[in-house]
Amino acid sequence: VVACDVAWREHAAGIVAWIGAAGPRLSAVIHTAGRGQATALNDTSVAEVAEVWAAKAAGVAHLDELTAGLDLEAFVLFSSISATWGAGQQPAYAAANMFLDATAERRHGRGLSAMSVAFGPWGGGGMRGEDGAQLARRGLRLLYPDLVLRALGQAIDAGEHLVTVADVDWARFGPAFTVRRPSPLIGDLPEVRQALAVAEAAAGAAAEPVR
């Protein structure tokens, strides 16, 4: 175990060089670093964007560059559902995670190993800004290590390069997510279509006049 800050390129370069000189070749990178955020877009400062970006994205950019010629077996990035469908109070965090997804896409296009996994909120710690009860009311259940590791292993075995892992109660999440406008992202999921049909029927019944 070696401590370094991969957000600084010289630190990242140093650790990659040290691994190459001190032991077996570097065969995999798993990037899990990040900094949470709970700030509205209008209140987010340039300094906060820079801090969130450094923690989440800068290290990925450096490791992508520094390991490009090493023929890695795996380059795994822990992204977030904030990049998949957005998140209130997390503008810089969502953008930084989208950079991770784009990096995996770009590496994949270059024939390099890469996978970005956009995780839902974790239980037992992590960077979520809301408690589990709040999230459950919105239709997002917490992920725990056994489920996370099983899903991660399945994604790696399947050779995925972009995947979202979340435990969603679509009956709650679907109607709320599409309340202002339809969602091309989730609108065609069978569970969402069913949830929206049930919600529409309930709304229609409630609107009928009493006779």
Side-chain angles (χ1 to χ4, degrees):
V1 177
V2 178
C4 79
D5 185 352
V6 293
W8 291 84
R9 189 186 183 285
E10 58 269 33
H11 288 197
I15 197 69
V16 170
W18 176 82
I19 292 171
R25 74 173 186 87
L26 180 64
S27 61
V29 169
I30 301 179
H31 183 279
T32 67
R35 176 193 180 280
Q37 186 184 24
T39 311
L41 177 60
N42 289 346
D43 299 325
T44 300
S45 66
V46 173
E48 184 177 9
V49 171
E51 187 175 349
V52 172
W53 191 267
K56 193 75 184 179
V60 169
H62 297 149
L63 292 169
D64 173 37
E65 174 198 348
L66 294 165
T67 64
L70 298 184
D71 192 25
L72 296 179
E73 296 173 19
F75 190 91
V76 180
L77 310 176
F78 277 32
S79 181
S80 163
I81 56 171
S82 65
T84 304
W85 53 55
Q89 310 293 310
Q90 293 184 319
Y93 185 72
N97 281 288
M98 180 55 77
F99 177 83
L100 268 60
D101 295 348
T103 298
E105 189 78 75
R106 188 173 63 249
R107 286 179 61 92
H108 182 74
R110 289 153 52 201
L112 301 176
S113 61
M115 182 176 71
S116 186
V117 187
F119 284 110
W122 286 39
M127 295 182 293
R128 68 180 190 275
E130 301 169 272
D131 63 32
Q134 254 184 322
L135 290 165
R137 284 194 293 271
R138 292 170 46 206
L140 288 173
R141 306 183 189 98
L142 300 182
L143 297 172
Y144 287 90
D146 57 341
L147 179 59
V148 167
L149 291 175
R150 187 164 68 250
L152 183 62
Q154 289 172 349
I156 292 173
D157 290 344
E160 300 281 0
H161 68 282
L162 290 177
V163 63
T164 297
V165 177
D167 189 357
V168 184
D169 178 353
W170 294 110
R172 287 180 179 269
F173 187 85
F177 191 77
T178 58
V179 68
R180 295 187 183 277
R181 57 188 177 275
S183 170
L185 177 66
I186 68 170
D188 286 334
L189 294 176
E191 299 90 344
V192 174
R193 288 203 304 267
Q194 180 180 359
L196 294 178
V198 170
E200 185 177 345
E208 287 186 6
V210 178
R211 298 179 181 176

